[in-house]
Amino acid sequence: MTDERPILLWLRRDLRLTDHPALDAACRTGRPVIPVFIHDEVVERLGAAPKWRLGLGVERFAQALSGAGSRLICRRGPALDVLRALVAETGAGAVFWSRLYDPDSRARDTGVKAGLRAAGLTAQSFPGHLLFEPWTVATGAGGFYKVYSPFWRAVKQRDPAAPLPAPAALAGPAVWPRSDDPADWGMGTAMGRGAAIVAPNLAVGEAAARARLHDFLSEGIADYGEARDFPARAATSRLSENLSCGEISPATVWRAARHAFDAGATGAETFLKQLIWREFAWHLLYHTPHMATRNWRAGWDGFPWSEEDSRPEVVAWKQGRTGVAFVDAAMRQMYVTGTMHNRARMIAASYLTKHLLTHWRVGQAWFEQCLVDWDPAANAMGWQWVAGSGPDAAPYFRIFNPDTQLRKFDPDGTYADTWLAEGRRTPHPSALRYFDAVPRRWALSPHDIYPAPVVGLAEGRARALAALANRGG
């Protein structure tokens, strides 16, 4: 007999209709498909900005599903409990979902799959978050790659499967189960007044993501290789926000950039390498999940980093008030836009872990609170790369000088002037918006005197190198 029971499509970070293998497989069965989003324990643990941004993506995807003749059923609670309840309410016989690879999601999904199968249900996971499943990229010896360059060489000629089209039709059940209104969940509560400041800088949903990709391919990719390091230039794709929520698939981005490369776009290969850097981060997190919480290199466990995040100099770093222009501009950009330019991230991270001798975990946790494009793999590897404790990391003695970096990559001062208000006769509007975005309890004003450096750059460098020497490195 043909199984006509509905399929629950459990959505997580795959908020799109196009190139969605789990959705495509469900639709191909001809059975009713019930899309479901669950605000579970993994979602609840997200930081303020990524939780808020995910909530916006869920609401926008609900609208997209409605336009396609379907609905998004939203529920709150432990994932297995919610799915069991929906099976009882709908008579569903299967649950499909797209795989995730961070430790928390893997642990949850393993338990969900076991619980559903024990109840006689079909529980099936599909790819979709990465270009290549982590276990499919191996060294000649059969292990996983620990260095980026050979990883890039191993995958650069691989052709990911062609992106799948959006389904022509989404068959629904005769009777839909009830749904929570995700707006009632308060996913943006922790953002406070910052939400209103960051919101105009977002591009929420699949249509916005595809428009971003189109604009970048039309206007930015040719100069990407050279221009991407200059934080004042609009030279990057800004797709990290959308990739984080799965509003566009990496295969869609790869295929489009590869076409640009084949057409002779000079910056396309550099952009493709950045996509593979994201892939490499997930490859490593899958194979070495401790990267998310502990030094990837165990030899760094004794390094004298401080984890006290209430120290005055760390508070100054968080507030963008270190007295070091590049660092402060970077932090303020994050509070106003929800993102931070990649070179600025390196400078801010280097200053915290080296000049301020603060553990990378402090910065990692703060970025998880503040970045709308937060990605557990990229965030963990990025911080450990800068700190020197991670895979294929920059050596610890490579200590960025923020002033030298600012002169090199912001030679006319545009980036600093865009984000720093104190001492400017007519501050840039973006610099003023920072004061409206940050918590009132910080009691900051554009009329404040810009601070002297909390630690001199030469002094901080010398202290970091001494700590390295004493460690024996």
Side-chain angles (χ1 to χ4, degrees), residues 312-322 327-328 331 335 347-349 351-352 356 362-364 366-367 383:
E313 58 267 40
V314 177
V315 172
W317 177 83
K318 290 181 177 181
Q319 293 181 343
R321 295 270 299 169
T322 65
V327 175
D328 294 343
M331 300 301 286
Y335 298 132
I347 301 305
Y351 186 79
L352 181 71
L356 300 186
V362 173
Q364 177 199 33
W366 191 246
F367 274 21
W383 274 96

Side-chain angles (χ1 to χ4, degrees), residues 150-473:
F151 183 86
W152 159 252
R153 290 193 294 270
V155 302
K156 67 179 181 178
Q157 295 303 330
R158 285 196 185 189
D159 188 15
L164 297 164
L170 278 164
V175 178
W176 287 92
R178 69 160 184 87
S179 176
D180 296 347
D181 183 346
D184 295 335
W185 289 342
M187 293 179 74
T189 300
M191 282 292 290
R193 63 182 188 154
I197 303 301
V198 176
N201 298 282
L202 304 180
V204 180
E206 183 173 7
R210 296 180 77 86
R212 260 187 178 166
L213 176 61
H214 176 271
D215 290 347
F216 175 65
L217 295 174
S218 300
E219 303 168 8
I221 198 167
D223 298 326
Y224 179 80
E226 184 269 337
R228 70 188 181 96
D229 278 324
F230 291 81
R233 300 187 190 179
T236 60
S237 74
R238 298 180 295 159
L239 285 166
S240 58
E241 171 195 345
N242 307 105
L243 286 166
S244 176
C245 290
E247 293 166 344
I248 193 168
S249 75
T252 295
V253 180
W254 174 272
R255 183 62 62 97
R258 185 75 198 191
H259 284 324
F261 174 79
D262 292 340
T266 54
E269 184 176 39
T270 303
F271 180 70
L272 290 168
K273 286 182 176 179
Q274 290 302 301
L275 285 177
I276 298 303
W277 182 258
R278 173 184 181 271
E279 202 80 6
F280 182 54
W282 280 106
H283 174 88
L284 286 167
L285 186 60
Y286 176 83
H287 288 289
T288 55
H290 74 275
M291 184 177 77
T293 55
R294 306 195 310 274
N295 293 317
W296 194 82
R297 299 177 186 273
W300 284 86
D301 290 348
F303 193 79
W305 277 312
S306 169
E307 293 199 61
E308 177 52 64
D309 66 356
S310 61
R311 290 157 48 220
E313 58 267 40
V314 177
V315 172
W317 177 83
K318 290 181 177 181
Q319 293 181 343
R321 295 270 299 169
T322 65
V324 178
F326 204 166
V327 175
D328 294 343
M331 300 301 286
R332 296 183 190 200
Q333 179 188 22
M334 179 170 66
Y335 298 132
V336 173
T337 69
T339 62
M340 185 189 296
H341 188 274
N342 186 60
R343 178 155 293 276
R345 295 187 197 207
M346 289 191 294
I347 301 305
S350 176
Y351 186 79
L352 181 71
T353 57
K354 297 177 180 178
H355 287 89
L356 300 186
L357 281 180
T358 301
H359 203 293
W360 58 264
R361 281 193 292 255
V362 173
Q364 177 199 33
W366 191 246
F367 274 21
E368 182 177 351
Q369 288 295 322
C370 300
L371 289 170
V372 297
D373 65 351
W374 176 76
D375 174 293
N379 197 37
M381 190 172 75
W383 274 96
Q384 293 219 50
W385 184 88
V386 171
S389 62
D392 199 15
Y396 186 83
F397 57 77
R398 183 185 181 190
I399 301 172
F400 289 109
N401 183 310
D403 287 351
T404 301
Q405 288 282 306
L406 193 63
R407 288 194 294 269
K408 181 176 181 180
F409 295 108
D410 187 39
D412 59 1
T414 300
Y415 183 70
D417 285 342
T418 297
W419 300 112
L420 301 178
E422 298 94 325
R424 271 77 171 172
R425 179 172 297 177
T426 308
H428 192 282
S430 294
L432 295 175
R433 280 193 285 272
Y434 156 78
F435 296 94
D436 295 324
V438 298
R440 286 190 177 90
R441 67 178 181 275
W442 288 3
L444 298 176
S445 164
H447 304 297
D448 293 338
I449 297 173
Y450 188 66
V454 295
V455 60
L457 296 181
E459 173 193 351
R461 174 182 171 81
R463 186 172 61 178
L465 291 175
L468 178 66
N470 291 336
R471 169 185 172 271

Side-chain angles (χ1 to χ4, degrees), residues 110-124:
T110 298
V112 167
K113 184 174 284 188
L116 293 174
R117 288 180 172 174
L121 298 162
T122 298
Q124 188 170 353

